[in-house]
Amino acid sequence: ATLHAFVMAMPKAELHVHIEGTMEPELYLDIAARNGIATPYADAEAVRQRLRDAHDLPSFIGIYEELIAAIRSAQDFRDLAMAFFAKAQSQGVVYAEVFFDPQLHLERGIPLAAIFGGLARARIEAEQTLGFKARYIMCFLRDRSADDALKVLRDSAPWRDEFIGIGLDNPEVDGFPDKFAAVFDEARGMGLRLTTHCDVGQPNTVAHHWGALDVLKVERIDHGLNVLDDPKLIDAVRERRIGLTAAPTLFYTEIPGRMEYRAGAIKQLLEHGLLVSLNSDDPGMKRSLYIGDLMLRAARTVGLSRDMLVQLARNSFVTAWLSDEERDAYL
Ligand code: HPA
Ligand code: ZN
C-alpha cells in the first residue's frame, strides 16, 4: 500500500484534541450566523487570514478565545463535536478522548448544562450512527485560579459520568504545577484520570514536567517533548509508563523548522522506548490537519518508518483510558 493508504487505514486513538480547537472556519461562520453574532470576517478565507496571526501559544490562544465566543447553545457543542468525530473517523481514528474547556464558556455566561448537554448528545450519536467511541476530559485554564477550577469541578458533579478525567491547558504561568495540587487530589479522589499539558516553548519546562509527575501525579503529559531535555526525566517517564500525547501541529503561519523539531522529537521519544502518541491538538484552527495528515507529514519530514507509525498508534491505545476489555478489542 502507499504510505497514505497505510496511515489512513491504521486504527488510531486520538488523546490530545481540544473540541473548541476543532472548529473549522466554515463551521465558525455558520454558528456565528445562526446565533446572530456579527463577525468581522466576510468568508472562511478571511478567518484563515486571521488565524495566520497565530505564531506561538499566547497569540494562538487569543484568536482561539475570539472564535470560540460564537459558540452558545447545546446544539453548537453537539455540531462541533459531531463534525470532529466524522472527520477523525475519515482518517482512521476509532476512539477519541477529547478536551473541553468549561471555563472559557462559563466566563461568557454559557451554563454547564448547555456544554454537557451538547457534548453528550454528540458522543451518543457518534456511537450510534458512526460506531465511533469518544470520552471527554475536563480541561482547566492554568492562568485562572485553582479555586475557580475546583468550583467548576464541584459544580460538574451532576455530569460526573460525562467526563473521564481532568487536564490543564493554556500558557504555563507562575505557580504551575503546585498551584493545582489540591484540584488534582480532589479529582483523583473522585476517580478521575489525570493529565496536564507541558507544552513546547514554555518557561521552566523541565521543572514543570517533574511537578506534573511528582506533585500532580498525572498518568499522561500532553505534548511532553521536553522530556528529552533531562535524562532522569526520560527514565522516570519510561519506568512510570507515562503517556506522552505529542502533537506536531502547524500554525497557518509557516514557522521554519517547527515540523522538523516536533516530528524529530517524537522520533527520539520513540527511540527511547517511551509511550508517545501523535495527536492533532487544535486541527480546525491549525491548518485543518488531522491525525492521518499529521502522521504523513511527520513521517515524510523526519523519516518515520512504518514500524514507528504502528508503534505510535499502538501507544495511543496503550495509554488511552480504556478498560482492559476495550483495549484488547482495539489492539
Ligand atoms: N497548549 C496549551 N493550551 C491549549 C492548547 C495547547 O496545545 N490547545 C488549546 N489550548
Ligand atoms: Zn493541547
Side-chain angles (χ1 to χ4, degrees):
T2 63
L3 188 63
H4 183 277
F6 173 79
V7 162
M8 295 295 173
M10 181 166 60
K12 300 174 279 295
E14 166 90 74
L15 305 179
H16 179 172
V17 62
H18 303 263
I19 201 63
E20 294 88 352
T22 69
M23 187 165 60
E24 294 280 347
E26 289 80 4
L27 183 59
Y28 161 72
L29 290 173
D30 284 352
I31 289 177
R34 76 184 182 206
N35 288 338
I37 292 167
T39 86
Y41 310 109
D43 54 24
E45 191 41 48
V47 181
R48 292 196 165 87
Q49 195 57 44
R50 170 75 175 124
L51 284 160
R52 289 194 175 85
D53 294 339
H55 53 87
D56 59 10
L57 186 55
S59 60
F60 174 74
I61 294 297
I63 302 170
Y64 172 85
E65 293 199 6
E66 177 200 322
L67 300 182
I68 288 164
I71 305 169
R72 304 213 71 90
S73 66
Q75 183 73 34
D76 299 340
F77 285 100
R78 179 261 167 213
D79 291 356
L80 184 58
M82 272 308 279
F84 170 68
F85 297 150
K87 186 74 196 185
Q89 185 174 52
S90 78
Q91 300 212 347
V93 176
V94 296
Y95 171 72
E97 292 175 4
V98 180
F99 291 120
F100 67 109
D101 281 331
Q103 288 158 306
L104 280 183
H105 312 302
L106 292 165
E107 289 172 0
R108 302 182 293 114
I110 311 300
L112 283 171
I115 304 170
F116 280 113
L119 292 179
R121 265 168 57 202
R123 181 184 60 72
I124 294 162
E125 223 177 300
E127 185 141 12
Q128 290 174 347
T129 65
L130 305 174
F132 184 90
K133 190 165 175 59
R135 291 191 169 103
Y136 295 112
I137 305 171
M138 178 176 286
C139 210
F140 299 114
L141 304 173
R142 184 156 42 196
D143 45 354
R144 275 45 162 203
S145 72
D147 281 350
D148 194 64
L150 213 44
K151 176 171 167 31
V152 174
L153 180 63
R154 289 173 182 167
D155 289 350
S156 299
W159 298 277
R160 169 65 187 84
D161 292 343
E162 202 51 57
F163 58 109
I164 190 173
I166 66 162
L168 294 173
D169 62 359
N170 260 20
E172 289 164 39
V173 292
D174 287 348
F176 168 75
D178 296 31
K179 174 178 168 185
F180 290 97
V183 179
F184 276 62
D185 284 345
E186 181 151 331
R188 189 182 308 103
M190 294 167 68
L192 287 159
R193 315 296 295 263
L194 309 175
T195 187
T196 183
H197 279 60
C198 286
D199 208 339
V200 176
Q202 300 300 295
N204 307 317
T205 188
V206 167
H208 287 178
H209 281 75
W210 280 114
L213 296 185
D214 291 339
V215 178
L216 303 182
K217 303 186 178 73
V218 296
E219 304 164 71
R220 297 202 299 239
I221 292 176
D222 303 303
H223 294 295
L225 303 187
N226 294 101
V227 166
L228 293 166
D229 296 353
D230 179 356
K232 290 204 181 69
L233 200 44
I234 294 174
D235 290 339
V237 164
R238 188 190 300 106
E239 280 156 23
R240 301 182 206 184
R241 298 184 61 77
I242 302 295
L244 303 176
T245 68
T249 49
L250 299 165
F251 294 118
Y252 274 96
T253 300
E254 188 65 51
I255 297 173
R258 185 177 163 94
M259 177 53 96
E260 285 78 3
Y261 168 72
R262 293 197 169 211
I266 290 170
K267 186 176 183 178
Q268 286 183 54
L269 293 166
L270 280 172
E271 287 164 350
H272 282 291
L274 305 189
L275 291 170
V276 59
S277 58
L278 188 150
N279 302 272
S280 72
D281 207 2
D282 300 289
M285 296 191 194
K286 291 177 181 162
R287 278 206 223 171
S288 301
L289 296 172
Y290 293 78
I291 286 192
D293 305 317
L294 289 163
M295 272 195 173
L296 282 168
R297 290 206 183 202
R300 291 184 174 133
T301 303
V302 297
L304 300 178
S305 66
R306 290 192 187 200
D307 283 350
M308 284 177 161
L309 296 171
V310 169
Q311 192 64 46
L312 287 170
R314 206 184 149 72
N315 289 347
S316 70
F317 292 108
V318 168
T319 59
W321 294 334
L322 294 161
S323 69
D324 290 342
E325 301 81 70
E326 287 173 328
R327 198 183 326 276
D328 289 348
Y330 286 125
L331 281 177

